[in-house]
Amino acid sequence: MTSLKNILLVHKKSTLELMQQGENGEQAYLETFPKRKAELVRADEANTNTLNYIRSYLKENNISFSECYRAKLCTDVLDKISLIITVGGDGTLLDVAKYITDIPILGVNSDPVKSTGFFCHATKETFATIFEDLD
């Protein structure tokens, strides 16, 4: 098991989640285009499942972590963090990397079917193995 402690888990919100929070007709769009809505629901489920898996893994292994949404990066904890795990795709990882100079980042592609993850070294299926190999 890795010796890394005090992890920051940074996640994205799915397009569906953002649209459901919107006030500019996004709900009407979702109802007008049921095929697109179905695609967004599937992607939202993939993102949620990956994020929940990583949360559970960290909790089950008694690994201390903080969590925040990528658009509201919790910079107040960065001086205590030994690793940042991003859950999303390349956009999430790059969003975080703009603010980080000396903390390693492990990108987890939450939806390899549709999300670009060239910089993300893990998926839900490979996360545990990759994480345990970190030192």
Side-chain angles (χ1 to χ4, degrees), residues 84-101:
I84 297 173
I85 299 172
T86 62
V87 177
D90 285 349
T92 305
L93 186 144
L94 292 170
D95 224 14
V96 171
K98 293 186 292 190
Y99 304 101
I100 306 304
T101 57

Side-chain angles (χ1 to χ4, degrees), residues 76-120:
D76 57 319
V77 299
L78 292 179
D79 60 334
K80 302 172 189 89
I81 299 300
S82 61
L83 174 70
I84 297 173
I85 299 172
T86 62
V87 177
D90 285 349
T92 305
L93 186 144
L94 292 170
D95 224 14
V96 171
K98 293 186 292 190
Y99 304 101
I100 306 304
T101 57
D102 59 353
I103 303 170
I105 302 172
L106 172 60
V108 180
N109 188 340
S110 62
D111 185 12
V113 171
K114 289 285 186 177
S115 179
T116 302
F118 292 113
F119 300 118
C120 297

Side-chain angles (χ1 to χ4, degrees), residues 12-63:
K12 73 173 190 171
K13 291 184 180 179
S14 71
T15 301
L16 179 67
E17 190 175 359
L18 292 170
M19 289 180 83
Q20 289 174 332
Q21 294 174 350
E23 299 173 7
N24 298 319
E26 288 93 343
Q27 287 292 335
Y29 172 87
L30 291 172
E31 299 312 317
T32 304
F33 300 99
K35 250 180 139 174
R36 178 66 176 136
K37 182 179 180 181
E39 292 170 7
L40 294 173
V41 167
R42 188 215 51 80
D44 178 72
E45 289 172 355
N47 187 63
T48 300
N49 289 340
T50 301
L51 184 56
N52 287 339
Y53 171 80
I54 292 172
R55 284 178 183 136
S56 295
Y57 177 90
L58 296 173
K59 287 177 186 174
E60 288 170 11
N61 288 284
N62 297 314
I63 298 169

Side-chain angles (χ1 to χ4, degrees), residues 122-134:
T123 63
K124 176 183 167 193
E125 289 72 27
T126 63
F127 174 77
T129 302
I130 291 171
F131 184 80
E132 289 169 9
D133 285 343
L134 296 176

